[in-house]
Amino acid sequence: MTFFSKKIPLIINTITVLIILCSTHFFYAQEASVQITDSLVNKSSQELVQLIKSAKLDKAAFYEKVVLKRAKENNTAEIYQELGRRFSKEENYEKAHQYLDEALDLAKKNNEKRRTCVISIIKAKSFMLDGNNEQAVDLYNTAIDIAKKHAYVTLENIATSSYISLISQMDDQLEKALDMSDKLLLALEQSSDRNTKNYVQMLTTINDVYLGAEKYDKVISLADKGIKIADSLNYKKGLADLYIKKGIVYYNKDSREESQFFLDKAKKIISEYALDNDFHQKVRVHYFLAKLKYDKGLYHDAIDYLNIIVSNLEDEDTNKLPIIQTYYLLMECHRELGEDKQAWVYHKIYMELTNAYKKNEGKTRNRVFEKEENAANERIALEKANKRYAQIGLLITFVLLLIVGYSFWRKQKKNKMLFNNLISQIDQLESHKQQKEEQKTKKIVAEIAIDDDKVDAVLKGLSKLEKQEYFLKPDCSLRTIAKKTKTNATYLSKIINTHKGKNFNGYINDLRIEYALTKLKNDKRFRSFSIASIALEVGYKSDKSFVKHFKSKTGINPSYYIKNIEILKNTAA
């Protein structure tokens, strides 16, 4: 007891000294930090701009303090522009937009047209990276308009290439994007930007369009050209991006070793260098490396790559298409491993993100068309304003209501008859399924007798894929099925025409709609899905496409079918 009582004062003194030392160190460190910041405050605007431009990643917050400490009147539009760009590169888009707005206001106030154009492009890219395509389209259009008006050729090319990349993500705008890409490439060959970093950036952007259109030879050609220039400039981000594109092309061409080679090169660059805005590159590299593992049946390895993507996600990243694809592949990996519970978790996330993405894509499409439709909308509004014949309108409306009412009654009657016939056909199909399978086998054997072994193999492959329900996959296409059945697309198309009595699209659509009809009839939970979700489940990319093919096959809308199935089941219960 005496020993401890002697030691206690010594321990207290030691702790006191340590606290004083730590406090002193903290005070001087803080004072040094303030002194560093103070030394920057008095620099000229141009000097500060150069420092922000050359700063390493994670320095945006530090330079924000410097900018805020300066007198507001000493801060130029360029200072706010570069601070906003720095935050965007660090993927802090909220802060980026805040300072880019400040920059834009100052540039407009001072009538700096070129600066306004530059800031609009930076802000548009920031919005696009953040998944806000609607705002990005507006800003790219603004930048293009300013650049054209004032003959800022380089800025026009940069804004146009990014705009093209954005609209190419929409199915109904791909042709327009390709046409614009071809014209821009010709313009770039004549521009002063050749052999520059800007040129490489525009090549990588345009290459996304050709990649989406499956023009693989063009992608390889442009990638090789860009790689040569990027290498000479030591432009690592451009190199990584172009290696990734080559990796994706070789993956799609079934050249797995070449794909692995270029994806590994890209991954090495990304891991060794701190690249700006490398989120998309990291996602693409790990996603396609996961695909390579998935194709080999190495599902656990594929999941490891995909988990790298998921573990680095922020909330705002989930509205991006590559992330949606990541969750879809995770779902498929767990299904293959027989882990149905985990697969269902990822299926739910995939469906939620897909529905949200489709809504945002629709908004973007409206913005893309908005400019082209303005004149037409104004004419329509004018015509409507001049047509105010109330009595005639009321009379016409009354007559139309009668016609519509009668048509609706007849349509309902017809739909009811079609529905009853459809249920009868499905019941017959289910009760005689085994018998039909036997007849189908006999028919194939009889047909094969007069054909070669290759046709036999292809038909057996098709039968196997039907049993595996491969037709439900979104990437099911003539090309992918040809690969699965070990033949080429032309030969497969002829076999389907001859032996199935329909073209390829008709064959796949029939399988999907027949599957939907049976599953909707027998699965109550499936009937509770939205039409958009059902469409995705049976392999369609849009609900419009599903409804069109469903009605073509059955004569009624899927919603009518579901409603009457529910009535039928409730009555039976």
Side-chain angles (χ1 to χ4, degrees), residues 52-114:
I52 297 172
K53 276 184 177 180
S54 59
K56 294 179 180 179
L57 286 176
D58 301 325
K59 288 291 183 182
F62 171 76
Y63 281 104
E64 181 185 28
K65 290 176 184 176
V66 175
V67 171
L68 291 175
K69 198 162 185 179
R70 287 164 60 94
K72 195 171 178 69
E73 58 269 19
N74 293 337
N75 290 327
T76 62
E78 191 177 10
I79 288 176
Y80 288 127
Q81 170 193 306
E82 291 308 319
L83 186 58
R85 195 205 297 262
R86 176 56 53 190
F87 273 116
S88 181
K89 286 180 178 181
E90 294 180 14
E91 298 176 15
N92 186 339
Y93 299 116
E94 187 178 347
K95 284 278 189 183
H97 300 155
Q98 176 190 329
Y99 287 108
L100 290 170
D101 281 340
E102 292 258 21
L104 210 50
D105 288 343
L106 267 177
K108 287 177 180 177
K109 183 181 177 182
N110 297 328
N111 200 29
E112 298 176 78
K113 299 297 182 185
R114 187 180 182 85

Side-chain angles (χ1 to χ4, degrees), residues 341-561:
K341 188 176 179 181
Q342 192 62 33
W344 176 247
V345 170
Y346 288 121
H347 173 271
K348 190 176 178 183
I349 297 171
Y350 166 73
M351 293 300 295
E352 288 171 357
L353 296 182
T354 299
N355 289 331
Y357 177 81
K358 283 172 72 65
K359 286 179 185 176
N360 188 47
E361 185 191 35
K363 286 181 184 176
T364 308
R365 184 179 288 112
N366 290 339
R367 291 285 183 173
V368 170
F369 285 129
E370 193 175 77
K371 196 173 180 181
E372 298 170 8
E373 290 179 347
N374 275 344
N377 286 339
E378 285 173 11
R379 283 199 309 274
I380 291 166
L382 187 62
E383 287 168 8
K384 284 182 178 179
N386 292 331
K387 292 178 182 178
R388 301 189 183 278
Y389 301 107
Q391 291 180 343
I392 296 172
L394 284 171
L395 182 61
I396 291 170
T397 303
F398 179 70
V399 172
L400 284 174
L401 282 171
L402 285 175
I403 294 168
V404 169
Y406 179 70
S407 299
F408 179 76
W409 175 78
R410 289 202 57 177
K411 187 179 178 182
Q412 287 293 96
K413 189 176 179 182
K414 183 185 174 184
N415 283 347
K416 191 68 179 173
M417 184 177 70
L418 287 168
F419 174 77
N420 290 334
N421 289 339
L422 201 55
I423 293 297
S424 177
Q425 288 171 20
I426 293 169
D427 288 340
Q428 288 176 21
L429 186 70
E430 289 173 341
S431 62
H432 300 296
K433 191 173 181 182
Q434 185 61 40
Q435 186 181 345
K436 278 197 166 189
E437 283 296 321
E438 292 172 4
Q439 288 172 354
K440 186 177 176 184
T441 306
K442 288 176 184 176
K443 185 179 178 184
I444 290 171
V445 172
E447 287 172 346
I448 298 309
I450 58 167
D451 221 327
D452 57 21
D453 293 337
K454 182 63 179 174
V455 176
D456 184 19
V458 171
L459 286 171
K460 284 179 179 175
L462 284 175
S463 181
K464 184 180 177 183
L465 289 173
E466 285 179 26
K467 287 176 183 174
Q468 292 172 350
E469 296 174 347
Y470 184 76
F471 54 84
L472 299 179
K473 291 184 179 290
D475 61 348
C476 174
S477 66
L478 185 64
R479 184 172 63 85
T480 57
I481 289 185
K483 287 179 187 175
K484 296 274 184 188
T485 53
K486 295 182 175 59
T487 185
N488 61 60
T490 305
Y491 196 51
L492 176 63
S493 181
K494 287 179 181 177
I495 291 174
I496 290 172
N497 276 323
T498 303
H499 294 276
K500 303 291 182 181
K502 59 192 82 172
N503 63 25
F504 174 77
N505 287 335
Y507 167 63
I508 295 299
N509 283 323
D510 281 355
L511 288 172
R512 286 174 174 174
I513 300 304
E514 283 170 10
Y515 174 88
L517 285 166
T518 305
K519 192 165 178 68
L520 285 168
K521 179 176 177 288
N522 298 324
D523 189 337
K524 183 176 181 179
R525 189 169 158 279
F526 193 58
R527 290 197 297 273
S528 68
F529 287 6
S530 67
I531 297 297
S533 297
I534 293 169
L536 289 168
E537 277 288 301
V538 298
Y540 289 101
K541 292 181 180 177
S542 74
D543 52 348
K544 287 181 182 176
S545 183
F546 169 62
V547 170
K548 183 180 86 173
H549 292 297
F550 190 98
K551 192 168 183 181
S552 174
K553 172 93 174 156
T554 65
I556 58 176
N557 283 318
S559 55
Y560 180 88
Y561 177 73

Side-chain angles (χ1 to χ4, degrees), residues 148-289:
K148 280 182 178 177
K149 187 175 179 179
H150 299 279
Y152 304 144
V153 178
T154 297
L155 294 180
E156 183 185 347
N157 289 340
I158 292 169
T160 302
S161 67
S162 299
Y163 176 81
I164 290 167
S165 174
L166 184 59
I167 67 169
S168 70
Q169 297 168 29
M170 298 172 237
D171 290 338
D172 56 355
Q173 289 290 290
L174 187 55
E175 285 302 318
K176 179 181 175 181
L178 281 169
D179 183 54
M180 290 178 73
S181 297
D182 292 338
K183 289 175 182 175
L184 182 57
L185 274 177
L186 289 173
L188 286 174
E189 292 304 311
Q190 308 300 321
S191 77
S192 59
D193 289 309
R194 287 203 63 185
N195 301 321
T196 66
K197 192 173 171 180
N198 276 342
Y199 183 74
V200 176
Q201 287 173 339
M202 284 184 271
L203 279 186
T204 60
T205 304
I206 293 168
N207 236 355
D208 276 323
V209 181
Y210 292 119
L211 187 61
E214 298 184 6
K215 293 184 178 291
Y216 298 137
D217 291 338
K218 188 85 170 177
V219 176
I220 295 293
S221 171
L222 290 177
D224 287 339
K225 184 186 288 188
I227 286 167
K228 189 176 179 181
I229 298 168
D231 201 26
S232 69
L233 298 170
N234 198 30
Y235 179 32
K236 299 299 182 184
K237 185 177 173 66
L239 272 176
D241 199 60
L242 291 166
Y243 283 142
I244 291 167
K245 285 178 173 60
K246 288 190 78 170
I248 294 170
V249 166
Y250 283 119
Y251 176 85
N252 289 330
K253 293 178 81 170
D254 280 339
S255 301
R256 298 298 196 250
E257 287 184 14
E258 287 91 340
S259 176
Q260 185 82 45
F261 174 76
F262 285 109
L263 290 171
D264 283 340
K265 287 189 82 166
K267 184 171 177 285
K268 188 171 186 289
I269 291 172
I270 293 167
S271 61
E272 289 182 1
Y273 298 90
L275 304 179
D276 298 334
N277 294 117
D278 62 357
F279 171 79
H280 290 274
Q281 292 177 324
K282 284 179 179 176
V283 171
R284 275 185 156 186
V285 163
H286 288 105
Y287 176 78
F288 278 96
L289 286 171

